């Protein structure tokens, strides 16, 4: 601490000055500090370790943590939480290392800290940016109360392949929506003041293109055209950087032949030189070391490659710590390169206020007051209800009446361990509200509830073991599958309506949880078939971390409510929606395919030279012999208990020049019986272009609340900026000519009209 005193004075000055002065103060401050550091101490700052308290997602966790901290060999730690514990670790750095430089403390706070919100794919289905920002703000408040102020979130990887388990962690397939979500999350975590005790530094991940891993297999090769990269995959990373994200995490995959963690074009030319990123880049978990397997050389070689590429901090693998000094001696890296990385990390520490007070986040009175408050839990309940997507609702089966008898069946109806969803390492399963409990809380006095499990999540013990790697998610019943179905049928026979809670265990999606079969597990399909035969109204509550292929279930059930993994308030939120206390308003942010063979499938595809209109097979058009082209449920799709009608579109002008704007308007009418919200979506298509362009691209949306019977004019402003894309030479331009503008309730149900850009 002694050594930090003079630094503290400099920091006090920083607080009181303008932005530019702040920056030069920071420069001076960091420069002074670095002038006292040995090369090994500088390299120590580049080392990020985990003692293994969180979820170890690689095969190694750090050892000799205490000794390393004392030696000045640790820049940051993740997987440690609680103000007391974190303070102890920080004390080691401050009091026992030579220069007393504080460490940063990180974690994966992906969808809430202890107040777990729905999985991010679910949150994105709310299309509500204020709400999304609020989830990040609450997460930051709770995490910082627990001593963590650096977040490995938001994950903004565009994902168009639902085989990939990590689609659960992002905002789906669309770059426009994904960019808005990325910004909202960064704002929520950082709130323009990294030094505030309630905010945390955001890390945009995984840079880059991780969502395009071939065959939906995690960590796999990525090879794509620059055209697709810039137009479809890069925008959310850039948006997060523009919003001021303090940190970027490099991805596991290679990008056109060079692994991201050693890819200089990606981490320096693009990220820093073109986008102006001024924070630091952290590797993913041992992704530097993993370049050995990619065939890029031994640990010394890949570590040098990463540093030279612009990677600043090495997560867990210790390639930097153990080889960079040698590489320096051998002239394979320069001291200037080490200095640059060290400087970026110290700057982050400065911005976080740690060099002023290294203990600023460790207030032991905070957790009790600020974590899992009633208010936060209420927010989790609201967000969850708004994340649900009503996929089908024949004959208005939903909302259910608050009377009579409900048979509540299915392997997820009485499950507590699967409510939080994947990547909730800081959440606590025992605090989650089960579906059966939520239903009892919400309508227990009015409705008789009968329960039967009906089926296991999966029957195969080997499959179950892979899913249970972070604790029991699948428990295989001692009863035979037949006996369980019989019990479910017996219960159903006594009920007016059947609600079956089926789908995936939480760890059937997420990291290293890829699937080649996207149907419900066969044993659950058998349950659904048996229930459908009863001819009682059948409602499926579909829990999953990804789009599933639900063709058969869509035929058999009367209603399907997609609820993702809804978080700590799961049961309450599901009951709120099933019984009409909240009218669902979620819309899909990722296309639901009919079958795996259609993947990758996404609405913003380009036309072929032989497009096929509709799903009727035409020889020598683009199609399949054994499947329609269309998805089961398209991007932007989601029903409501009420009905919305759209007028034709009116335009304020049909021709605009580059400096003009036009208004596109529709009148939206709630023609049903319930008050409700509708996400009004605007898409465009550029008719004639210098490179092939998508048939439709989202360019705007508004979430509108209307009382039953009410109408409202909804207006969007379009300008040349909205019409820009990256052309063949990667210039961001709008090309004059005709545009189609579409407005509607989903990507495939729209009104359309045309205008011209002069
Ligand atoms: C994941 C990252 C995560 C990191 C640290 C990795 O396996 O890919 O998303 O932030 O582990 O937990």
């Amino acid at each position: 601490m002694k050594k930090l005193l003079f630094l503290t004075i400099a920091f006090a000055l920083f607080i009181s000055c303008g932005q530019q002065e702040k920056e030069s103060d920071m420069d001076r401050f960091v420069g002074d500090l670095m002038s006292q550091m040995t090369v090994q101490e500088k390299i120590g700052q580049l080392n990020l370790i985990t003692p293994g308290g969180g979820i170890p997602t690689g095969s190694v966790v750090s050892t000799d943590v205490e000794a390393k901290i004392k030696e000045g060999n640790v820049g940051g730690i993740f997987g440690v939480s609680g103000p007391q514990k974190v303070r102890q670790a920080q004390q080691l750095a401050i009091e026992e290392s030579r220069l007393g430089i504080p460490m940063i403390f990180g974690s994966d706070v992906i969808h809430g800290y202890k107040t777990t919100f729905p999985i991010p794919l679910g949150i994105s289905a709310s299309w509500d940016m204020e709400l999304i920002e609020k989830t990040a703000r609450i997460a930051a408040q709770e995490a910082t109360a627990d001593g963590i102020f650096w977040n490995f979130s938001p994950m903004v990887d565009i994902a168009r392949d639902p085989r990939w388990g990590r689609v659960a962690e992002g905002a789906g397939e669309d770059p426009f929506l994904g960019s808005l979500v990325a910004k909202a999350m960064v704002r929520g975590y950082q709130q323009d003041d990294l030094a505030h005790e309630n905010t945390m530094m955001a890390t945009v991940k995984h840079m880059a293109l991780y969502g395009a891993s071939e065959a939906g297999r995690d960590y796999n090769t990525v090879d794509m055209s620059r055209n697709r990269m810039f137009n479809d995959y890069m925008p959310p990373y850039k948006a997060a950087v523009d919003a001021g994200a303090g940190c970027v995490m490099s991805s596991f995959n290679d990008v056109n032949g060079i692994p991201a963690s050693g890819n200089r074009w990606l981490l320096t030319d693009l990220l820093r030189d073109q986008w102006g990123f001024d924070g630091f880049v952290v590797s993913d978990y041992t992704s530097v070391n993993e370049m050995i397997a990619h065939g890029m050389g031994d640990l010394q070689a890949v570590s040098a490659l990463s540093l030279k590429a612009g990677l600043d901090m090495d997560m867990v693998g210790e390639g930097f710590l153990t080889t960079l000094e040698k590489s320096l001696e051998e002239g394979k890296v320069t001291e200037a390169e080490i200095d640059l990385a060290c400087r970026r990390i110290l700057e982050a520490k400065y911005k976080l206020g740690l060099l002023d007070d290294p203990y600023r986040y460790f207030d032991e009175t905070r957790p009790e007051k600020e974590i899992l408050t009633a208010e936060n839990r209420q927010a989790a309940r609201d967000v969850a209800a708004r994340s649900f997507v009503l996929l089908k609702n024949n004959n208005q089966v939903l909302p259910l009446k608050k009377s009579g008898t409900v048979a509540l069946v299915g392997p997820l109806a009485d499950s507590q361990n699967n409510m939080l969803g994947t990547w909730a390492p800081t959440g606590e399963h025992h605090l989650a509200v089960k579906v059966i409990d939520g239903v009892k809380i919400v309508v227990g006095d009015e409705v008789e509830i009968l329960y039967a499990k009906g089926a296991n999540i999966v029957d195969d013990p080997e499959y179950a073991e892979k899913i249970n790697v972070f604790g029991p998610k699948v428990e295989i019943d001692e009863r035979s599958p037949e006996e369980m179905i019989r019990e479910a049928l017996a219960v159903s026979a006594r009920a007016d309506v059947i609600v079956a809670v089926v789908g995936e265990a939480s760890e059937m999606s997420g990291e290293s949880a890829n699937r080649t079969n996207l149907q419900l597990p066969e044993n659950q399909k058998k349950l659904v078939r048996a229930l459908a035969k009863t001819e009682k109204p059948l409602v499926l509550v579909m829990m999953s971390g990804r789009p599933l292929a639900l063709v058969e279930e869509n035929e058999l059930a009367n209603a399907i409510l997609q609820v993702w993994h809804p978080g700590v308030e799961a049961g309450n939120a599901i009951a709120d929606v099933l019984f009409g206390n909240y009218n669902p308003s979620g819309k899909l942010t990722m296309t639901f395919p009919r079958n795996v063979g259609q993947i990758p499938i996404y609405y913003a595809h380009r036309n072929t030279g032989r497009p096929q209109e509709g799903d009727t097979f035409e020889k020598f058009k683009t199609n399949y012999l054994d499947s329609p082209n269309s998805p089961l449920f398209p991007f932007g799709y989601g029903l409501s208990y009420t009905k919305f009608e759209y007028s034709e579109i009116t335009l304020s002008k049909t021709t605009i020049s580059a400096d003009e704007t036009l208004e596109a308007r529709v009148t939206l009418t709630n023609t049903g019986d319930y008050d409700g919200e509708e996400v009004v979506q605007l898409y465009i298509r550029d008719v004639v272009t210098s490179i092939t362009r998508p048939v439709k691209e989202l360019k705007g949306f508004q979430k509108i609340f209307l009382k039953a019977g009410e109408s409202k004019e909804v207006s969007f402003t379009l300008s040349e900026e909205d019409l820009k894309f990256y052309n063949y030479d990667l210039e961001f331009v709008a090309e004059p000519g005709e545009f189609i503008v579409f407005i509607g309730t989903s990507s495939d149900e729209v009104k359309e009209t045309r205008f011209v850009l002069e």
Side-chain angles (χ1 to χ4, degrees):
M1 192 63 218
K2 49 230 170 209
K3 319 99 186 177
L4 272 176
L5 267 182
F6 82 98
L7 303 176
T8 307
I9 298 164
F11 190 86
L13 286 173
F14 162 82
I15 296 287
S16 61
C17 301
Q19 185 61 29
Q20 254 186 355
E21 280 170 76
K22 276 184 193 173
E23 270 164 27
S24 58
D25 279 344
M26 179 169 76
D27 280 353
R28 263 198 303 279
F29 183 89
V30 170
D32 283 349
L33 182 54
M34 283 178 61
S35 69
Q36 303 170 54
M37 294 170 81
T38 63
V39 169
Q40 191 57 37
E41 279 167 337
K42 289 174 190 167
I43 294 171
Q45 287 301 307
L46 319 186
N47 192 31
L48 173 63
I49 61 167
T50 181
I55 294 182
T57 56
S59 51
V60 291
V61 292
S62 316
T63 52
D64 298 331
V65 169
E66 198 173 319
K68 281 177 188 151
I69 298 174
K70 290 182 184 167
E71 286 155 14
N73 277 336
V74 180
I77 297 194
F78 68 105
V80 182
S81 60
Q84 223 182 346
K85 273 202 209 157
V86 182
R87 176 184 286 273
Q88 275 168 8
Q90 190 72 306
Q91 259 166 350
L92 288 177
I94 300 298
E95 290 172 12
E96 306 211 29
S97 73
R98 191 180 75 90
L99 287 172
I101 301 172
M103 300 184 294
I104 42 176
F105 289 84
S107 186
D108 289 277
V109 185
I110 307 298
H111 46 116
Y113 186 68
K114 293 263 183 249
T115 300
T116 310
F117 295 103
I119 55 166
L121 185 62
I123 298 182
S124 72
S126 72
W127 296 57
D128 184 331
M129 297 308 130
E130 263 176 49
L131 199 69
I132 292 173
E133 182 173 336
K134 185 174 169 186
T135 66
R137 207 167 57 235
I138 291 173
Q141 168 114 30
E142 292 195 355
T144 53
D146 224 15
I148 292 160
F149 46 86
W150 173 28
N151 197 0
F152 304 155
S153 170
M155 187 278 216
V156 305
D157 304 315
I158 292 296
R160 296 176 167 185
D161 189 333
R163 291 172 296 184
W164 191 49
R166 301 196 80 169
V167 303
E169 288 175 59
E173 72 184 47
D174 186 64
F176 178 84
L177 185 70
S179 298
L180 292 177
V181 173
K183 282 189 181 172
M185 302 279 289
V186 172
R187 270 199 311 270
Y189 292 138
Q190 299 193 164
Q191 290 171 62
D192 293 330
D193 182 6
L194 280 181
H196 196 284
E197 287 82 357
N198 289 343
T199 65
M200 67 197 315
M201 182 169 62
T203 303
V204 55
K205 70 187 192 187
H206 306 81
M207 180 90 182
L209 320 182
Y210 184 30
S213 301
E214 277 180 8
R217 181 153 50 77
D218 218 350
Y219 321 123
N220 205 4
T221 302
V222 174
D223 202 331
M224 76 167 64
S225 72
R226 293 273 157 109
N227 172 355
R228 168 163 287 176
M229 219 186 253
F230 279 81
N231 283 307
D232 302 346
Y233 281 79
M234 289 298 186
Y237 307 110
K238 180 168 188 301
V241 167
D242 289 345
C247 184
V248 166
M249 186 184 292
S250 65
S251 56
F252 288 121
N253 55 284
D254 61 348
V255 171
N256 295 1
I258 302 183
S261 300
N263 193 317
R264 185 168 170 90
W265 171 77
L266 187 69
L267 300 184
T268 297
D269 299 357
L270 180 67
L271 180 62
R272 295 192 183 276
D273 298 349
Q274 284 186 44
W275 293 357
F277 175 64
D278 67 354
F280 74 94
V281 179
V282 64
S283 77
D284 203 343
Y285 205 109
T286 61
S287 68
V288 174
N289 313 51
E290 290 170 24
M291 287 197 288
I292 302 171
H294 278 283
M296 310 304 288
D298 62 11
L299 187 60
Q300 185 184 353
V302 296
S303 302
L305 184 69
S306 294
L307 182 77
K308 290 177 109 55
L311 189 105
D312 305 306
M313 196 176 229
D314 177 8
M315 188 191 291
V316 180
E318 301 200 339
F320 278 12
L321 190 72
T322 55
T323 71
L324 281 187
E325 207 163 6
K326 182 158 184 268
S327 290
L328 179 65
E329 282 158 17
E330 294 171 1
K332 292 179 176 148
V333 301
T334 64
E335 187 157 357
E337 286 161 345
I338 295 171
D339 280 357
L340 191 59
C342 176
R343 172 174 285 277
R344 288 171 183 151
I345 286 155
L346 294 175
E347 283 179 0
K349 294 183 176 180
Y350 189 95
K351 290 177 192 160
L352 284 161
L354 292 173
L355 297 172
D356 172 37
D357 174 7
Y359 303 108
R360 63 194 301 118
Y361 298 95
F362 314 145
D363 173 350
E364 278 163 39
T365 65
R366 279 186 66 188
E368 206 191 314
K369 288 182 291 185
E370 297 180 33
I371 294 178
L372 272 168
T373 60
E375 202 185 326
N376 291 358
R377 285 198 79 129
Q378 183 58 46
R381 183 168 177 168
D382 292 344
V383 174
R386 282 161 178 76
S387 75
F388 301 162
V389 182
L390 184 61
L391 298 176
K392 177 175 181 182
N393 194 19
N394 265 16
N395 305 324
Q396 298 268 327
V397 180
L398 292 176
L400 299 176
K401 289 193 198 67
K402 291 181 182 166
S403 60
T405 304
V406 173
L408 186 60
V409 300
L412 289 151
D414 189 26
S415 166
Q416 195 168 33
N417 288 348
N418 288 294
M419 298 302 102
L420 303 188
T422 190
W423 266 119
T426 52
E428 290 183 30
H429 297 291
H430 70 276
L431 298 174
V433 182
K434 298 189 287 188
V435 180
I436 190 165
D437 291 342
V439 171
K440 284 182 187 159
I441 291 166
V442 172
V443 293
D445 294 341
E446 299 131 294
V447 177
E448 188 189 5
I449 299 145
L450 309 173
Y451 167 75
K453 184 171 174 186
N456 297 309
I457 296 177
V458 295
D459 278 345
D460 174 0
E462 258 179 61
Y463 197 172
E465 205 180 315
K466 295 179 201 163
I467 299 167
N468 289 343
V469 61
F470 300 132
K473 302 290 155 74
V474 176
E475 273 151 321
I476 299 183
D477 212 278
E478 282 174 1
R479 289 166 298 174
S480 70
E482 295 73 25
E483 196 183 334
M484 287 164 81
I485 291 185
R486 269 201 302 277
E487 192 193 8
L489 290 176
V491 156
S492 301
R494 292 161 49 205
D496 305 309
V497 55
I498 308 167
V499 174
V501 191
V502 293
E504 292 187 312
S506 57
E507 297 310 326
M508 284 171 81
S509 57
E511 186 168 350
S512 188
N514 316 306
R515 297 182 60 194
T516 61
N517 176 349
L518 295 184
Q519 304 218 21
L520 276 186
E522 187 55 30
N523 57 316
Q524 293 194 53
K525 285 177 89 76
K526 282 188 185 149
L527 171 67
V528 173
R529 286 179 202 131
L531 296 172
K533 282 211 186 106
T534 65
E535 295 191 0
K536 299 250 166 126
L538 174 60
V539 176
L540 299 184
V541 173
M542 190 61 67
M543 244 178 228
S544 67
R546 54 154 63 81
L548 294 177
L550 300 172
V551 171
E552 187 182 5
E553 291 69 28
N554 188 42
E555 275 162 19
L556 295 177
N558 302 90
I560 306 179
L561 184 68
Q562 173 68 38
V563 300
W564 319 107
H565 291 112
V568 69
E569 285 289 321
N572 284 332
I574 289 171
D576 285 342
V577 173
L578 287 178
F579 291 93
N581 293 351
Y582 181 74
N583 179 0
S585 62
K587 300 273 190 176
L588 297 179
T589 57
M590 210 176 158
T591 304
F592 274 46
R594 293 173 191 274
N595 51 60
V596 166
Q598 293 181 311
I599 296 169
I601 183 166
Y602 48 93
Y603 82 95
H605 64 86
R606 294 153 208 212
N607 246 345
T608 67
R610 295 183 178 193
Q612 175 182 280
E613 292 299 327
D615 276 335
T616 310
F617 179 83
E618 293 175 66
K619 192 68 184 166
F620 302 122
K621 293 283 172 81
T622 187
N623 51 34
Y624 301 99
L625 285 173
D626 56 358
S627 167
N629 287 351
S630 69
L632 185 60
F633 302 114
F635 177 86
Y637 173 82
L639 304 172
S640 163
Y641 294 156
T642 195
K643 268 194 80 61
F644 292 102
E645 270 176 26
Y646 283 75
S647 70
E648 295 301 321
I649 305 171
T650 56
L651 296 180
S652 59
K653 310 182 179 113
T654 51
T655 301
I656 55 167
S657 57
D659 54 3
E660 286 178 329
T661 60
L662 72 76
E663 306 288 318
R665 301 187 187 104
V666 290
T667 302
L668 180 73
T669 307
N670 179 346
T671 58
D673 299 329
Y674 299 86
D675 302 348
E677 289 149 287
E678 165 75 337
V679 180
V680 179
Q681 301 157 43
L682 179 143
Y683 300 84
I684 61 152
R685 173 165 170 189
D686 199 340
V687 181
V688 178
T689 37
S690 58
I691 58 169
T692 54
R693 298 288 301 135
V695 294
K696 267 186 202 129
E697 279 183 288
L698 184 71
K699 288 292 173 184
F701 59 87
Q702 292 177 41
K703 196 160 184 177
I704 305 287
F705 173 83
L706 289 181
K707 289 192 163 310
E710 205 183 345
S711 284
K712 190 175 174 187
E713 188 182 81
V714 183
S715 172
F716 295 89
T717 306
L718 283 172
S719 72
E720 192 204 21
E721 205 51 36
D722 301 304
L723 311 176
K724 287 186 174 168
F725 61 93
Y726 290 92
N727 68 13
Y728 196 79
D729 299 317
L730 303 180
E731 298 151 337
F732 193 54
V733 293
E735 294 181 354
E738 193 177 26
F739 289 82
I740 309 178
V741 51
F742 309 88
I743 300 181
T745 185
S746 80
S747 62
D748 85 340
E749 207 185 320
V750 287
K751 306 283 184 184
E752 63 175 87
T753 185
R754 288 170 186 246
F755 70 92
V756 169
L757 173 72
E758 279 179 338

